[in-house]
Amino acid sequence: MDKDIIAGIDVSTKKIAVVTLYSDNPVPVIWEAISTEPLVAERFSDLIEQFYLYMIGHNANIAVVETIPFVQNARTALALANIEGAVRAVCSLLGIPCEQINNSVWKKTLGIGRTKEAVAAYVEAKGGYNIVSQDAKDAYCIVLAWKTLKENNDR
């Protein structure tokens, strides 16, 4: 393997955020699939197609996706689980190993509080890199935490 290419992935019911770090460049590459389709099934297809087309053009050595958080709405939980599963399947089909990380684990690893504001402050302290959306901020932290855990052999 010439260089590490790590993709951190955060999913929601309307967006898939991918932040990629290259071992030879500290500046993250930020990309998001966004769907405004009104029906969940159409949004699902739209998001996964965009994600597939993006990932096929990138040679990530590993993808790290956040496990879905506990949500009380069963319909939302099912939609998130389906999107996460499809993301993992796309990675598998492309030969990209895909690992999972819990949001409490990545936040603890980086020493971040539980709030969105704490995540935003952490990202800003790391350089900001024009990361605007909360999903992309989370994806950036996911990749940084996985990298830290890997370096500490603590995965």
Side-chain angles (χ1 to χ4, degrees):
M1 177 172 6
D2 293 345
K3 62 182 174 180
D4 283 336
I5 304 170
I6 308 164
I9 303 167
D10 184 73
V11 302
S12 73
T13 59
K14 296 180 181 178
K15 185 185 296 184
I16 299 171
V18 180
V19 173
T20 307
L21 280 183
Y22 295 81
S23 60
D24 61 352
N25 185 354
V27 178
V29 176
I30 302 140
W31 177 84
E32 294 178 322
I34 300 170
S35 180
T36 57
E37 293 291 339
L39 299 176
V40 173
E42 292 173 358
R43 269 197 319 265
F44 175 85
S45 296
D46 191 24
L47 288 171
I48 297 307
E49 180 180 359
Q50 289 178 57
F51 178 71
Y52 173 78
L53 292 173
Y54 176 77
M55 292 300 284
I56 201 166
H58 292 76
N59 298 320
N61 303 118
I62 187 140
V64 184
V65 64
E66 181 183 68
T67 57
I68 62 165
F70 174 77
V71 291
Q72 294 200 359
N73 182 307
R75 199 175 301 178
T76 300
L78 181 60
L80 288 170
N82 283 333
I83 293 170
E84 180 190 334
V87 161
R88 294 180 72 211
V90 165
C91 290
S92 178
L93 289 170
L94 295 175
I96 302 168
C98 187
E99 295 194 16
Q100 296 173 290
I101 191 167
N102 184 286
N103 71 355
S104 61
V105 170
W106 66 255
K107 288 177 180 177
K108 181 179 177 184
T109 300
L110 299 176
I112 300 175
R114 294 190 167 269
T115 66
K116 292 177 182 181
E117 293 78 16
V119 172
Y122 181 85
V123 170
E124 192 59 36
K126 287 292 187 181
Y129 300 110
N130 295 319
I131 302 174
V132 177
S133 79
Q134 186 62 46
D135 294 310
K137 289 174 185 175
D138 288 353
Y140 180 54
C141 290
I142 288 165
V143 75
L144 290 177
W146 188 89
K147 195 172 169 194
T148 299
L149 290 170
K150 180 182 174 195
E151 289 166 358
N152 294 337
N153 291 322
D154 198 21
R155 292 187 294 127

